[in-house]
Amino acid sequence: MKKADLLLMDAVIVTVDKDRRILYHGAMAVTDGRITEVGKTGELEIKYADAKEKIDCEGKIIFPGFINTHNHLFQTLLKGLGDDMVLKDWLATMTFPAAGHLEPEDCYYGAMLGILEGIHSGMTTEVDYMYPHAREGLSDGVLRAYQDLGIRGIFGRGCMNTGTDFGVVPEIMQTRDQVEKDLIRIYDTYHNSENGKIKIWTAPAALWSNTEDMLQMLYEIASSYKAGMTVHVSETPFDRMATEALHGCAGVDCLEKIHAAADNVLMVHCVYLTESDIEKAAHYDLKVSHNPVSNMYLASGVAPVPQMLEKGITVSLGVDGAASNNGQDMIELMKTTSLLQKVNTLNPTVITAEKVLEMATIDGARAIGMEDEIGSLEAGKKADFVIFNPHLSPKAVPVHNPVSTLVYSSSMQNIESVAVDGKFLMKDGKVTVIPNETEVLKKGQQIAESLCERGNITNRREGHPWKR
């Protein structure tokens, strides 16, 4: 008889292992935060008869935890304020002005709201990309939310030190020395903390809003801590134009110029990558975070995901900030990913439900350099998983193919339980890591209204015009 803290029994287990096994009447044993064994219920029930906790999962599906590789959690406070704008106007008239008034408490509650929504949609790993720093302590607000909610989190410390010609407000710009000093502080304080769940990366706001010297410093510091860097690349034609104006090149050529074309760099959006960019990205093993809902919301375009996949580039999924998505829903993101490419290419087979799940799990893990630890349900990996209950919503019934049901026929309602390191963050639909989720939501509303008042953002309530 073997030791186990938890035994999940009689589930459909979608492992996303190298053989892509789906086990019917499957079981999974968890010990000390890691998966001990995945197999048939009849066998594991006997082996782990003395498990401390046993859960009957009959009729339910267990998936690896979903990995979100791009977000701006502070933007959760700005939902609905950037509707019907192109990116340049969205930045200049709403996002940058709000960012200049952020306080640590704003960042904490913005992160709490965003992560809670993510947990309800099965998210177990979050990559946040915090680019405005109008004052000290903003990073700590987000990181405190990571700690309080128990999420596996990468915090990307961002910055800008140029770009006023393109709408960047001086209040959120910092010098190279200021950024370097704070980066070292948060690396030394938080990196690999919470039993390794929290990691620090660097996250320059954009190639066009940071000088070459700043970008090189960010990449060098991240590498020195054996961490990664994430950066928006070729999101829009404006992005490429502004990058070329500052650096004399754009896309992967710019990463080459700053000596940051490497396998620990996660490029975000990549809507306007050229054929040359794609070839070079494959050569350098650069990773990509695909953000289809945001790209649609801002009408930025459709990223060439099939071409990237064909070249062997790792493409993961990102919800992006809630000000350019209006949600943090991983399930909505998966369905959108597939349907957008189908209608764009007029090819219904271009991206399958199975490939989308890979992008949300094992490819997400690969994008952040953690494929040996998370992203699939295998013995030895960290026990990050989702229990999906089809019977919580008629949308998900009947289930003929579990992956198809998840991607095309489900919603947040179907996410019953979510665990990180074998610890339930949500169980039977109730968030377990904080005493009162409703109180956090109410406080988040108050904080969002206060930020809008401080930032003089009037596109809300009675000030929002009816648009035809």
Side-chain angles (χ1 to χ4, degrees), residues 241-296:
M241 177 274 293
T243 302
E244 287 178 4
L246 179 62
H247 297 292
C249 53
V252 179
D253 289 343
C254 188
L255 293 175
E256 277 187 321
K257 184 178 182 181
I258 63 168
H259 308 292
D263 62 1
N264 63 336
V265 172
L266 175 61
M267 304 188 297
V268 183
H269 294 297
C270 301
V271 177
Y272 290 90
L273 290 187
T274 64
E275 287 185 18
S276 173
D277 285 325
I278 292 172
E279 292 284 351
K280 288 184 176 182
H283 172 74
Y284 290 116
D285 196 17
L286 289 159
K287 312 303 194 297
V288 171
S289 177
H290 175 46
N291 295 236
V293 177
S294 170
N295 294 341
M296 294 168 71

Side-chain angles (χ1 to χ4, degrees), residues 44-213:
L44 268 61
E45 269 186 314
I46 297 169
K47 279 187 185 180
Y48 300 95
D50 290 339
K52 294 177 184 176
E53 182 180 6
K54 297 179 182 180
I55 299 177
D56 182 358
C57 296
E58 184 178 2
K60 301 175 186 180
I61 308 164
I62 302 176
F63 294 101
F66 307 142
I67 298 166
N68 171 40
T69 59
H70 187 64
N71 208 348
H72 307 290
L73 281 166
F74 80 91
Q75 288 183 13
T76 311
L77 303 174
L78 306 176
K79 282 182 183 178
L81 297 175
D83 295 349
D84 313 316
M85 299 180 190
V86 297
L87 177 64
K88 188 173 183 297
D89 295 339
W90 177 89
L91 287 169
T93 65
M94 185 274 297
T95 309
F96 285 160
H101 292 272
L102 285 171
E103 298 283 351
E105 188 181 35
D106 302 324
C107 294
Y108 173 75
Y109 278 99
M112 290 291 285
L113 291 176
I115 296 167
L116 282 170
E117 185 180 351
I119 289 169
H120 277 285
S121 70
M123 184 190 302
T124 54
T125 298
E126 173 88 74
V127 179
D128 188 40
Y129 191 128
M130 180 68 189
Y131 55 81
H133 287 271
R135 53 194 49 81
E136 294 182 358
L138 302 188
S139 300
D140 303 82
V142 176
L143 286 157
R144 186 157 59 92
Y146 277 1
Q147 293 169 330
D148 287 353
L149 290 175
I151 197 83
R152 190 176 305 287
I154 291 176
F155 177 77
R157 204 290 190 188
C159 59
M160 291 176 267
N161 71 334
T162 187
T164 53
D165 292 348
F166 298 114
V168 178
V169 293
E171 291 84 358
I172 58 176
M173 294 169 63
Q174 292 182 304
T175 67
R176 182 189 186 282
D177 289 345
Q178 286 175 309
V179 173
E180 186 173 17
K181 180 180 178 182
D182 192 49
L183 258 177
I184 291 170
R185 177 187 71 84
I186 63 173
Y187 265 114
D188 291 346
T189 305
Y190 296 104
H191 191 48
N192 290 323
S193 63
E194 300 291 308
N195 193 32
K197 285 191 300 187
I198 293 178
K199 298 183 184 297
I200 305 299
W201 280 25
T202 58
L207 294 172
W208 56 265
S209 63
N210 286 276
T211 61
E212 186 174 336
D213 183 50

Side-chain angles (χ1 to χ4, degrees), residues 365-398:
R366 193 171 290 112
I368 58 174
M370 294 190 69
E371 66 271 27
D372 293 335
E373 295 285 323
I374 59 175
S376 61
L377 302 177
E378 302 179 71
K381 284 197 170 185
K382 294 179 183 293
D384 292 8
F385 62 87
V386 172
I387 300 177
F388 178 101
N389 186 346
H391 303 131
L392 295 177
S393 166
K395 184 178 181 181
V397 179

Side-chain angles (χ1 to χ4, degrees), residues 186-418:
I186 63 173
Y187 265 114
D188 291 346
T189 305
Y190 296 104
H191 191 48
N192 290 323
S193 63
E194 300 291 308
N195 193 32
K197 285 191 300 187
I198 293 178
K199 298 183 184 297
I200 305 299
W201 280 25
T202 58
L207 294 172
W208 56 265
S209 63
N210 286 276
T211 61
E212 186 174 336
D213 183 50
M214 178 76 91
L215 292 168
Q216 287 177 337
M217 179 273 291
L218 293 171
Y219 180 70
E220 288 167 6
I221 284 189
S223 297
S224 73
Y225 281 90
K226 294 182 170 53
M229 183 173 88
T230 183
V231 59
H232 298 114
V233 174
S234 297
E235 180 175 1
T236 61
F238 159 75
D239 182 317
R240 288 191 74 92
M241 177 274 293
T243 302
E244 287 178 4
L246 179 62
H247 297 292
C249 53
V252 179
D253 289 343
C254 188
L255 293 175
E256 277 187 321
K257 184 178 182 181
I258 63 168
H259 308 292
D263 62 1
N264 63 336
V265 172
L266 175 61
M267 304 188 297
V268 183
H269 294 297
C270 301
V271 177
Y272 290 90
L273 290 187
T274 64
E275 287 185 18
S276 173
D277 285 325
I278 292 172
E279 292 284 351
K280 288 184 176 182
H283 172 74
Y284 290 116
D285 196 17
L286 289 159
K287 312 303 194 297
V288 171
S289 177
H290 175 46
N291 295 236
V293 177
S294 170
N295 294 341
M296 294 168 71
Y297 179 91
L298 291 167
S300 299
V302 183
V305 172
Q307 293 92 318
M308 290 190 271
L309 294 175
E310 188 177 326
K311 293 295 182 181
I313 295 171
T314 296
V315 181
S316 59
L317 297 183
V319 296
D320 209 352
S324 65
N325 179 318
N326 293 26
Q328 304 280 272
D329 186 343
M330 289 296 293
I331 293 179
E332 176 185 74
L333 177 67
M334 283 189 263
K335 184 169 184 175
T336 304
T337 297
S338 180
L339 298 189
L340 176 60
Q341 294 298 332
K342 291 177 191 296
V343 74
N344 184 58
T345 61
L346 303 182
N347 178 357
T349 68
V350 69
I351 291 187
T352 64
E354 288 82 3
K355 184 58 199 175
V356 171
L357 178 60
E358 290 175 2
M359 293 166 78
T361 56
I362 192 63
D363 292 341
R366 193 171 290 112
I368 58 174
M370 294 190 69
E371 66 271 27
D372 293 335
E373 295 285 323
I374 59 175
S376 61
L377 302 177
E378 302 179 71
K381 284 197 170 185
K382 294 179 183 293
D384 292 8
F385 62 87
V386 172
I387 300 177
F388 178 101
N389 186 346
H391 303 131
L392 295 177
S393 166
K395 184 178 181 181
V397 179
V399 178
H400 292 299
N401 301 297
V403 179
S404 174
T405 296
L406 171 71
V407 174
Y408 296 130
S409 309
S410 67
S411 69
M412 277 186 174
Q413 277 182 279
N414 297 112
I415 304 300
E416 184 174 85
S417 301
V418 176

